[in-house]
Amino acid sequence: MIEFLNLSEERPYQKFKFFFDKAVEKKQEAIDAICISSYDKDSNQPDARFVNLKYISNDEWIFFSNYEGPKAKQFRATNNISATFYWQKIDTQIRINAKIKKTNSTISDNHYKRRSDLKNALAISSNQSKIVESYEKVIKNYENTLKKKDLISKRPDYWGGYSFKPYYFEFWEGNDSRINKREVYINDNGKWNLFFLEP
């Protein structure tokens, strides 16, 4: 579940909250799942994966991950990302373009301390996206890490938060007639401009 902290009063953020509340009411599963797309300069390829969005704090959108994995390298090389939600229960897609950066360490530390030992053991034990000889090796590394006494007080340096600030929103609402509604907000020097797109 996404936690809202002093959400911005600007129109696209309130529009997002409107759709979020509708999806919650309809019992949307995995409502916090967001597809983050980035660009890999080495392979000249786009790259995408789902993460769990944890917070929206004013105008910053925050998730947590390994700082040494492929997406971290991509974020450092090119800080432009796109992000997509799709909530099937209300047939609504929300597309976002944004600039991404690491959160400050206090946010990462506080979130880490709120997590369970089970989740923190995985964050510690995983060399994210590195080749491993077998899935059994992954399980063994995890189980060995889980035996440690303290999995909460010290966050590993290679794990923490990312935040992004959107400059583009598209709210797509499906329609049985296929005359889908596409409402777009673009930030122009601090002002949100609104327009609509053809289906």
Side-chain angles (χ1 to χ4, degrees):
M1 185 64 72
I2 301 168
E3 189 172 338
F4 293 86
L5 307 171
N6 190 31
L7 182 66
S8 170
E9 292 294 329
E10 293 181 318
R11 191 168 175 183
Y13 295 93
Q14 294 301 315
K15 186 90 176 177
F16 177 87
K17 185 63 164 57
F18 167 77
F19 284 118
F20 178 86
D21 289 343
K22 274 182 69 174
V24 168
E25 187 178 322
K26 294 290 187 179
K27 304 189 184 313
Q28 174 65 51
E29 301 87 357
I31 197 169
D32 56 350
I34 181 171
C35 182
I36 301 290
S37 300
S38 52
Y39 174 66
D40 189 312
K41 291 181 76 172
D42 292 339
S43 65
N44 193 30
Q45 292 287 330
D47 202 1
R49 79 290 291 161
F50 279 91
V51 301
N52 295 323
L53 190 73
K54 293 299 183 182
Y55 307 101
I56 302 178
S57 179
N58 190 16
D59 60 353
E60 289 192 65
W61 304 54
I62 301 170
F63 66 92
F64 297 85
S65 186
N66 189 297
Y67 284 153
E68 297 177 354
K71 64 180 171 294
K73 181 180 178 182
Q74 293 162 13
F75 296 159
R76 288 193 298 271
T78 307
N79 70 343
N80 283 302
I81 63 159
S82 63
T84 309
F85 290 93
Y86 179 66
W87 294 326
Q88 174 266 336
K89 296 282 188 180
I90 59 171
D91 197 15
T92 297
Q93 175 182 253
I94 300 170
R95 299 171 62 198
I96 295 168
N97 292 338
K99 300 282 189 183
I100 195 165
K101 65 179 182 179
K102 285 184 181 180
T103 63
N104 67 58
S105 59
T106 301
I107 290 173
S108 294
D109 289 341
N110 289 341
H111 180 73
Y112 186 80
K113 289 173 183 175
R114 293 177 61 182
R115 288 161 45 104
S116 69
D117 284 358
L118 297 176
K119 289 181 179 180
N120 285 346
L122 183 58
I124 293 169
S125 69
S126 175
N127 293 313
Q128 192 177 76
S129 298
K130 296 290 191 295
I131 294 173
V132 65
E133 61 195 51
S134 67
Y135 182 64
E136 287 71 24
K137 179 69 172 174
V138 173
I139 298 297
K140 185 176 181 180
N141 289 344
Y142 173 74
E143 289 175 344
N144 287 339
T145 303
L146 197 54
K147 293 173 185 174
K148 294 181 178 179
K149 291 182 180 178
D150 185 1
L151 293 168
I152 293 179
S153 66
K154 181 64 175 83
R155 174 180 61 88
D157 293 337
Y158 53 82
W159 187 94
Y162 283 101
S163 74
F164 59 88
K165 289 190 176 185
Y167 56 83
Y168 175 96
F169 288 86
E170 180 191 323
F171 298 94
W172 178 100
E173 297 175 68
N175 189 304
D176 290 342
S177 69
R178 302 301 297 272
I179 308 176
N180 305 316
K181 183 179 179 182
R182 300 176 66 190
E183 185 173 344
V184 171
Y185 295 83
I186 294 181
N187 193 305
D188 181 15
N189 293 318
K191 179 185 176 183
W192 288 100
N193 295 322
L194 165 65
F195 57 91
F196 293 87
L197 300 177
E198 292 277 2

